[in-house]
Amino acid sequence: MRRVDSDMEREPRSVTGVLPDDRDVLTVDRMGIAVRDLSLVTDVSLRLRPGERVGLIGESGSGKSLTALALMGLLPEGLRATGSIRLAGVDRDLIGASEREMSRMRGRQIAMVFQEPMTALNPLMRVGNQVAEAMLLHSTRPDKASAQRAAVELLDRVRLPDPANAVKAYPHQLSGGQRQRVMLAIALANDPELLICDEPTTALDVTVQAQMLELILAGVEERGSALLFITHDLAVVATVCQRLLVMYGGRIVEAGPVHEVFTRPRHPYTRGLLDASDLEATDPRGRLHTIAGTVPAAGRFPVGCVFRNRCPREPEEAKVMPGWTGDETRGFACWNPVPYDD
Amino acid sequence: MTDAMTKPAASPGPQSADAPLIQVRDLHRVYTRSRTSLLKPPGQVHALRGVSFDIRKGERFGIVGESGSGKSTLLRLLCGLDTATSGSIRFGGQEIVGKSERQLKFLRKELQLVFQDPMSALDPRMRVRDIVREPLLGQRHPDPVGRVKELLTAVGLPPDAGDRFPHQFSGGQRQRISIARALAPQPSVLIADEPVSALDVSVRAQILNVLADLVDEFALTLVFVSHDLSVVRHVCDTIAVMHNGQLVEVGPTEKVHNASAHPYTRRLVAAIPTIRRALAGVGAADLARGMVDAGHDPTDTDRDEVA
């Protein structure tokens, strides 16, 4: 299995953050996102190699979608990103890049599929034109006619039925799954080096989800693109990704190969998430395992370890933020990690 | 219609000595779309096509279906919020199809609902204690204040929760408020419509546990509607699978999940990603292929979405 391969290719240890490497598609180093003096995302570092599929999981309020928006340069007004984001083939830092510079990369080197295709597509424009527009804006096709032909072919690749006629449809005439396929066709139109998917199948039925996941994987594999897949669904991330990052309270609390993190989680939050999402494992009374308490509102996370007010293993030291144990491909931030044979 | 689809309708669930609490027979609901032409008659959407099943007292009855399968329509009919085109629904022996709001008053006490999105189900300008108390007003409850406190404790909310407004709570806590309100009139049947679909994983487990506790404590009959077969499997002892406005299969949970008779159910089961299967090497392509292997579904026709 491909997924397990990355277990073996361990990276050399780096103490804090990651240094850019010319083999990387994306290098994020100690990125933070803040609104005024309120910090929403802190110290996010990650590295993506070509063709690598990395999952970013976390519950609502964990900062995973903000991270994606920051990578795309789409943070809402008033939010500032700090740190560094480097993208292959772009000779400047994405943080601090102007809107003009960002729009040259967006949809070209880096593309995104959003959760809700109905709000991401233009309701007044035929879907074929929207796919063609992505190519015309970046001049990857010489003229309108060839862009239109390419659009039909792209829609065929994402298995939209009858693509020659589907290009003339407006978004409202398509079903939710079909709209999401159009979004994927737009995102893949210019063969991006990095595809970001933010909960792309959350709004879809489970049978449509299975088809959509297959299309996303086929799309990135054909192009050798890296994939950053954001979801709250652990089973989906296990199905799609090789490596994963677990976010909580705006921080990455655990990272590693999917197989290892899901079979031997070290952070109590990851352990709790896995137990809570397992609907087949119950206590003697037939009740599910839970994580005590609820996710605090943004900015209300405890000082020190962000998880300590819900943690079953909270030690005294947790009043101080725990450092990162491990290296950049496998590690966790916890004072009192779950032992290996828990 | 094929044999496979009519069979579950003909033979209701496992028989018990007492009569079923809810008995649904050959239920149809046809919606008329808005006119698009002066000359042609408006189109029709057949949202329910001959649905029949029984729910026994104390049963945990799960209804599973994808969007457009007709599960929401069925739910609205069960609650008497919409009128069936034809067919019959008997609640404790009383017919509810075609009855006036006045005649359905007993149903409002006996049957209560928990909705998917608690933020839109709770009045943002009412304090929580008034929200939970409102159903008691019509009943002339002797001690509404005490009852509200009792309910809030039962769903695991702090005692001071009553003084606050819905927006001051998280999604999971709001769903607890919703459940407390539903239980206020002491219903015998609780209908939960996708109660955990909008919640995070860690909160989902909490709410499912609260529901299970309350169903046990108050000996409720639970009708649990969801698109998520794995959640329904955990909660319910009987599963009904809906597809294209028909019940394709009704039966005991483990039988429907593990040894399904119907290709649509098998496809549904095959499409669900699970951590266990993924770690065993089942990828997205395998999920999609599993759906194909599960067999072609004879009921799978292109159907107009109910707008």
Side-chain angles (χ1 to χ4, degrees):
Chain A
M1 273 315 293
R2 254 188 114 148
R3 184 178 312 115
V4 193
D5 286 351
S6 51
D7 257 336
M8 290 142 206
E9 30 184 79
R10 280 281 180 88
E11 286 294 306
R13 178 177 289 251
S14 86
V15 186
T16 45
V18 291
L19 296 167
D21 179 322
D22 49 11
R23 287 175 299 166
D24 292 343
V25 173
L26 175 79
T27 318
V28 179
D29 186 30
R30 280 166 287 180
M31 184 184 72
I33 301 170
V35 55
R36 288 186 303 275
D37 50 355
L38 188 67
S39 178
L40 302 173
V41 169
T42 317
D43 258 347
V44 167
S45 299
L46 66 105
R47 182 200 290 283
L48 261 89
R49 291 281 154 83
E52 209 179 13
R53 305 190 301 269
V54 174
L56 186 58
I57 61 171
E59 300 181 282
S60 41
S62 62
K64 56 192 194 309
S65 293
L66 276 183
T67 303
L69 290 178
L71 297 181
M72 292 291 288
L74 292 174
L75 282 178
E77 198 75 13
L79 266 64
R80 278 176 308 102
T82 53
S84 146
I85 304 172
R86 302 300 298 243
L87 195 63
V90 179
D91 54 6
R92 64 153 301 158
D93 203 310
L94 265 55
I95 286 178
S98 68
E99 176 55 31
R100 228 182 121 89
E101 289 167 309
M102 282 311 299
S103 62
R104 243 180 274 141
M105 295 168 227
R106 233 183 266 139
R108 179 85 175 86
Q109 280 97 350
I110 179 168
M112 183 156 168
V113 176
F114 296 86
Q115 175 175 353
E116 201 18 270
M118 199 55 199
T119 52
L121 290 170
N122 183 343
L124 298 178
M125 206 171 157
R126 296 180 197 275
V127 296
N129 290 342
Q130 300 193 45
V131 181
E133 185 186 41
M135 292 176 275
L136 291 171
L137 282 175
H138 292 286
S139 316
T140 49
R141 294 289 184 286
D143 54 68
K144 230 175 155 178
S146 69
Q148 279 290 348
R149 276 195 304 276
V152 173
E153 198 188 311
L154 277 161
L155 292 176
D156 188 35
R157 300 289 294 177
V158 295
R159 280 183 246 142
L160 206 68
D162 190 11
N165 284 313
V167 287
K168 295 182 206 133
Y170 288 96
H172 77 268
Q173 294 171 308
L174 303 175
S175 70
Q178 290 171 338
R179 279 180 216 137
Q180 201 57 301
R181 287 168 204 221
V182 173
M183 280 301 298
L184 183 63
I186 294 174
L188 294 175
N190 296 317
D191 305 331
E193 271 100 85
L194 171 63
L195 177 68
I196 302 176
C197 293
D198 186 2
E199 306 263 12
T201 58
T202 306
L204 303 179
D205 281 322
V206 61
T207 51
V208 185
Q209 164 173 284
Q211 295 161 352
M212 190 68 203
L213 294 177
E214 189 194 11
L215 287 172
I216 292 173
L217 284 189
V220 294
E221 260 162 30
E222 268 166 35
R223 292 165 177 81
S225 313
L227 174 69
L228 184 65
F229 197 98
I230 298 172
T231 180
H232 69 278
D233 190 327
L234 277 61
V236 168
V237 96
T239 307
V240 172
C241 299
Q242 303 157 316
R243 206 149 62 75
L244 77 95
L245 308 159
V246 184
M247 277 191 91
Y248 182 81
R251 288 174 182 272
I252 292 178
V253 295
E254 182 155 14
V258 167
H259 199 275
E260 200 171 325
V261 174
F262 279 180
T263 48
R264 282 181 298 181
R266 302 302 309 278
H267 199 285
Y269 176 63
T270 317
R271 172 84 265 167
L273 266 189
L274 280 165
D275 289 343
S277 57
D278 191 347
L279 294 167
E280 288 169 36
T282 51
D283 65 13
R285 285 180 59 239
R287 300 296 182 256
L288 298 167
H289 301 288
T290 58
I291 301 177
T294 52
V295 183
R300 298 247 180 95
F301 285 91
V303 183
C305 174
V306 279
F307 188 57
R308 75 181 163 101
N309 59 340
R310 301 177 70 190
C311 186
R313 321 171 49 85
E314 184 203 335
E316 269 303 298
E317 310 91 292
K319 291 189 181 75
V320 181
M321 181 63 209
W324 189 254
T325 313
D327 53 38
E328 65 173 87
T329 47
R330 173 70 179 126
F332 52 89
C334 181
W335 289 114
N336 185 13
V338 183
Y340 260 130
D341 297 305
D342 201 16
Chain B
M1 280 231 223
T2 64
D3 267 2
M5 289 138 42
T6 44
K7 258 178 207 157
S11 61
Q15 287 296 321
S16 64
D18 45 352
L21 181 63
I22 300 174
Q23 192 177 48
V24 176
R25 286 293 173 271
D26 198 28
L27 203 61
H28 286 262
R29 179 69 172 100
V30 181
Y31 292 107
T32 306
R33 318 188 93 177
S34 53
R35 251 178 198 283
T36 50
S37 157
L38 280 173
L39 304 171
K40 281 181 250 160
Q44 290 192 325
V45 179
H46 219 130
L48 285 183
R49 329 173 175 207
V51 170
S52 306
F53 59 87
D54 288 337
I55 301 177
R56 282 170 294 117
K57 193 170 184 327
E59 196 169 5
R60 294 161 195 228
F61 192 89
I63 301 175
V64 184
E66 298 189 285
S67 43
S69 63
K71 58 186 194 303
S72 303
T73 302
L74 176 59
L75 209 70
R76 290 169 59 83
L77 294 178
L78 278 181
C79 305
L81 297 173
D82 187 14
T83 312
T85 308
S86 69
S88 128
I89 304 173
R90 287 177 166 275
F91 185 96
Q94 291 195 60
E95 180 62 49
I96 60 172
V97 170
K99 290 286 148 60
S100 68
E101 189 59 36
R102 242 182 115 91
Q103 290 165 304
L104 286 179
K105 214 170 170 186
F106 80 99
L107 194 68
R108 304 284 175 248
K109 184 197 168 294
E110 287 299 323
L111 184 147
Q112 284 288 321
L113 261 161
V114 176
F115 295 95
Q116 172 172 0
D117 179 10
M119 201 54 203
S120 55
L122 302 173
D123 188 333
R125 293 189 293 183
M126 278 168 85
R127 287 185 198 277
V128 168
R129 66 170 121 76
D130 298 324
I131 291 175
V132 178
R133 189 176 165 172
E134 202 173 22
L136 299 171
L137 295 177
Q139 297 190 316
R140 302 205 175 82
H141 195 279
D143 177 23
V145 180
R147 176 86 179 127
V148 168
K149 272 200 188 119
E150 205 178 289
L151 286 162
L152 290 178
T153 321
V155 297
L157 283 172
D160 65 329
D163 303 331
R164 289 186 273 159
F165 291 94
H167 74 265
Q168 293 170 294
F169 294 87
S170 68
Q173 287 172 319
R174 276 180 216 143
Q175 203 56 294
R176 288 172 197 260
I177 300 169
S178 241
I179 295 171
R181 175 181 63 182
L183 294 178
Q186 291 182 293
S188 56
V189 179
L190 184 67
I191 297 192
D193 183 10
E194 304 263 11
V196 294
S197 305
L199 303 178
D200 277 318
V201 191
S202 69
V203 185
R204 178 181 76 176
Q206 293 174 356
I207 295 298
L208 289 176
N209 286 351
V210 167
L211 272 176
D213 286 342
L214 295 169
V215 166
D216 283 353
E217 193 180 336
F218 300 111
L220 297 170
T221 304
L222 180 70
V223 181
F224 192 100
V225 181
S226 178
H227 69 281
D228 191 335
L229 186 55
S230 37
V231 171
V232 173
R233 182 188 176 200
H234 167 72
V235 176
C236 301
D237 36 46
T238 306
I239 296 186
V241 182
M242 285 200 78
H243 184 48
N244 278 356
Q246 290 162 333
L247 275 190
V248 295
E249 192 164 10
V250 190
T253 298
E254 287 313 304
K255 187 163 172 286
V256 171
H257 191 272
N258 298 331
S260 166
H262 198 277
Y264 175 73
T265 316
R266 288 203 297 271
R267 257 178 52 198
L268 211 55
V269 174
I272 301 172
T274 68
I275 296 176
R276 279 199 186 91
R277 286 169 65 194
L279 293 182
V282 176
D286 302 309
L287 290 183
R289 203 175 316 119
M291 282 163 45
V292 177
D293 293 346
H296 179 67
D297 179 1
T299 58
D300 206 6
T301 48
D302 263 336
R303 214 171 73 89
D304 286 342
E305 278 180 38
V306 184

